[in-house]
Amino acid sequence: MKPYYYFVENEGYVRVMADEKQRILPLAILKTKLARNFSAYGLIKKDLGLIKDVLSILEAGVENKTIKQSLSFFAVVTYGKCYAQAAGRGVSLNIDAIKDLPNEVKEEHEQLILQRNQYVAHGGGEGWEQNAIAVSLDMKHK
């Protein structure tokens, strides 16, 4: 059997299986809260896997600055999406729900969320989106 993606009106794409004659096997869409939560956590897991892949690529070394920044932005935005309000998914991660989380981990999380909000998504400053212009006042050196 081979997997296919089938569009279901008002539901999006569903992965379905086809038999040896490529006929799609019957399916039923589950619309319970448990099914929606399962789907949402599956999407979060997919996002975290993508972040892990991107970090591996960056760690291995990327020379092109545009690709490097694009991958970095992707990782920050995707990480933030896992913790955002998630109106579409209905489920998001909550860093405060983790017991005995070391302070440095929580601080890094907060820094990533701040970086997403203040630099990657909105360019609001906080030290990232600044470019000071300076001039030397030493007139002895020309």
Side-chain angles (χ1 to χ4, degrees):
M1 287 205 256
K2 182 177 175 185
Y4 290 92
Y5 291 91
Y6 178 78
F7 183 75
V8 177
E9 189 79 28
N10 298 322
E11 299 296 330
Y13 285 91
V14 178
R15 189 176 127 172
V16 295
M17 301 302 284
D19 64 14
E20 57 280 344
K21 294 181 183 178
Q22 296 187 356
R23 293 179 297 200
I24 295 174
L25 302 177
L27 64 115
I29 303 296
L30 302 178
K31 295 187 177 189
T32 65
K33 182 176 177 158
L34 183 61
R36 284 191 303 276
N37 287 351
F38 184 79
S39 173
Y41 284 119
L43 292 171
I44 290 171
K45 180 180 177 190
K46 175 192 66 84
D47 283 347
L48 294 174
L50 290 171
I51 294 165
K52 185 177 174 185
D53 289 346
V54 165
L55 293 177
S56 294
I57 292 167
L58 289 169
E59 190 174 59
V62 176
E63 296 298 320
N64 184 290
K65 64 182 178 183
T66 303
I67 293 172
K68 189 179 207 175
Q69 182 170 345
S70 298
L71 290 172
S72 298
F73 279 20
F74 171 84
V76 170
V77 169
T78 305
Y79 178 83
K81 184 171 75 167
C82 294
Y83 290 90
Q85 290 177 348
R89 289 182 177 176
V91 169
S92 63
L93 300 178
N94 179 357
I95 196 82
D96 295 324
I98 303 171
K99 296 185 185 336
D100 302 323
L101 186 67
N103 276 343
E104 60 269 13
V105 174
K106 186 162 186 176
E107 288 170 4
E108 184 66 24
H109 164 80
E110 290 170 357
Q111 188 69 16
L112 284 168
I113 298 300
L114 183 66
Q115 183 178 6
R116 180 221 171 262
N117 294 339
Q118 294 294 320
Y119 175 51
V120 176
H122 304 292
E126 291 295 325
W128 292 292
E129 195 70 22
Q130 296 174 350
N131 187 25
I133 304 298
V135 62
S136 174
L137 300 177
D138 184 353
M139 302 305 281
K140 290 184 234 177
H141 296 88
K142 295 183 181 185

